[in-house]
Coordinates of all heavy atoms in Angstrom, one line a residue:
M1 N 97.5 72.0 78.7 CA 96.7 73.1 79.0 C 97.5 74.3 79.2 O 98.6 74.3 79.5 CB 95.9 72.8 80.4 CG 94.9 71.7 80.3 SD 94.3 71.3 82.0 CE 93.5 72.9 82.3
R2 N 96.8 75.5 78.8 CA 97.5 76.8 78.9 C 97.9 77.1 80.3 O 99.0 77.6 80.5 CB 96.6 77.9 78.4 CG 97.2 79.3 78.3 CD 98.4 79.2 77.3 NE 98.9 80.5 77.2 CZ 98.5 81.4 76.2 NH1 97.6 81.0 75.4 NH2 99.1 82.6 76.1
S3 N 97.1 76.7 81.3 CA 97.4 77.0 82.7 C 98.7 76.3 83.1 O 99.5 76.8 83.8 CB 96.3 76.6 83.6 OG 96.0 75.2 83.5
A4 N 98.9 75.1 82.6 CA 100.1 74.3 82.9 C 101.4 75.0 82.3 O 102.4 75.1 82.9 CB 100.0 72.9 82.3
I5 N 101.2 75.6 81.1 CA 102.2 76.4 80.5 C 102.6 77.6 81.4 O 103.8 77.9 81.6 CB 101.8 76.8 79.1 CG1 101.6 75.6 78.2 CG2 102.9 77.8 78.5 CD1 101.1 76.0 76.8
L6 N 101.6 78.3 81.9 CA 101.8 79.4 82.7 C 102.5 79.1 84.0 O 103.4 79.8 84.5 CB 100.5 80.1 83.1 CG 99.7 80.7 81.9 CD1 98.5 81.4 82.4 CD2 100.6 81.6 81.0
L7 N 102.2 77.9 84.6 CA 102.8 77.5 85.8 C 104.3 77.2 85.5 O 105.2 77.4 86.3 CB 102.1 76.3 86.4 CG 100.8 76.5 87.0 CD1 100.1 75.2 87.3 CD2 101.0 77.3 88.3
T8 N 104.6 76.6 84.4 CA 106.0 76.3 84.0 C 106.7 77.6 83.9 O 107.9 77.7 84.3 CB 106.0 75.5 82.7 OG1 105.3 74.3 82.9 CG2 107.4 75.2 82.3
F9 N 106.1 78.6 83.3 CA 106.7 79.9 83.1 C 107.1 80.5 84.4 O 108.2 81.0 84.6 CB 105.8 80.9 82.4 CG 105.9 82.3 82.8 CD1 107.0 83.1 82.5 CD2 104.9 82.8 83.7 CE1 107.1 84.3 83.0 CE2 105.0 84.1 84.1 CZ 106.1 84.9 83.8
L10 N 106.2 80.4 85.4 CA 106.4 81.1 86.7 C 107.6 80.4 87.4 O 108.4 81.1 88.0 CB 105.2 81.0 87.6 CG 105.3 81.8 88.9 CD1 105.5 83.3 88.6 CD2 104.1 81.5 89.8
E18 N 104.6 86.1 77.7 CA 103.9 86.2 76.4 C 102.5 86.6 76.7 O 102.0 86.6 77.9 CB 103.9 84.8 75.7 CG 103.2 83.7 76.5 CD 103.3 82.4 75.8 OE1 104.2 82.2 74.9 OE2 102.5 81.5 76.0
I20 N 98.4 86.6 77.1 CA 97.4 85.6 77.4 C 96.0 86.0 76.9 O 95.9 87.1 76.5 CB 97.4 85.4 79.0 CG1 96.9 86.6 79.7 CG2 98.7 84.9 79.5 CD1 96.7 86.5 81.2
S21 N 95.1 85.1 77.0 CA 93.7 85.4 76.7 C 92.9 85.6 77.9 O 93.3 85.3 79.0 CB 93.1 84.3 75.9 OG 93.0 83.1 76.7
T23 N 90.4 84.0 79.0 CA 90.1 82.7 79.7 C 91.3 82.3 80.6 O 91.1 81.5 81.6 CB 89.8 81.6 78.7 OG1 90.9 81.4 77.8 CG2 88.6 81.9 77.9
D24 N 92.5 82.7 80.3 CA 93.7 82.4 81.1 C 93.6 83.0 82.5 O 94.3 82.6 83.4 CB 95.0 82.8 80.4 CG 95.3 81.9 79.2 OD1 95.1 80.7 79.3 OD2 95.7 82.5 78.2
L25 N 92.7 84.1 82.6 CA 92.6 84.7 83.9 C 92.0 83.8 84.9 O 92.1 84.1 86.1 CB 91.7 86.0 83.7 CG 92.3 87.1 82.9 CD1 91.3 88.2 82.6 CD2 93.5 87.7 83.5
D26 N 91.3 82.8 84.4 CA 90.7 81.8 85.4 C 91.7 80.8 86.0 O 91.4 80.1 86.9 CB 89.6 81.0 84.7 CG 88.5 81.8 84.1 OD1 88.2 82.9 84.8 OD2 87.9 81.5 83.1
H27 N 93.0 80.9 85.4 CA 94.0 79.9 85.9 C 95.4 80.6 85.9 O 96.3 80.1 85.4 CB 94.0 78.7 84.9 CG 92.7 78.0 84.6 ND1 92.1 77.2 85.6 CD2 91.9 78.1 83.6 CE1 91.0 76.8 85.1 NE2 90.8 77.3 83.9
L28 N 95.4 81.7 86.7 CA 96.7 82.4 86.8 C 97.6 81.6 87.7 O 97.2 80.9 88.6 CB 96.5 83.8 87.4 CG 95.8 84.8 86.4 CD1 95.5 86.0 87.1 CD2 96.7 85.0 85.2
P29 N 98.9 81.7 87.5 CA 99.9 81.0 88.4 C 99.8 81.6 89.8 O 99.5 82.8 90.0 CB 101.2 81.3 87.8 CG 100.9 81.7 86.4 CD 99.6 82.3 86.4
A30 N 100.1 80.8 90.8 CA 100.0 81.2 92.2 C 101.2 82.1 92.5 O 102.3 81.9 92.0 CB 100.0 80.0 93.1
S55 N 89.3 84.3 90.6 CA 90.2 83.1 90.5 C 91.2 83.0 91.6 O 91.5 82.0 92.2 CB 90.8 83.1 89.1 OG 91.8 82.0 89.0
L248 N 103.0 88.6 82.3 CA 101.9 88.2 81.4 C 101.2 89.5 81.0 O 101.2 90.5 81.8 CB 100.9 87.3 82.1 CG 101.5 86.0 82.7 CD1 100.4 85.3 83.5 CD2 102.0 85.1 81.6

Side-chain angles (χ1 to χ4, degrees):
M1 293 175 60
R2 185 61 176 269
S3 59
I5 295 175
L6 297 183
L7 287 169
T8 301
F9 145 74
L10 187 63
E18 60 183 24
I20 62 172
S21 68
T23 58
D24 290 319
L25 296 171
D26 298 331
H27 307 284
L28 290 174
S55 172
L248 306 171

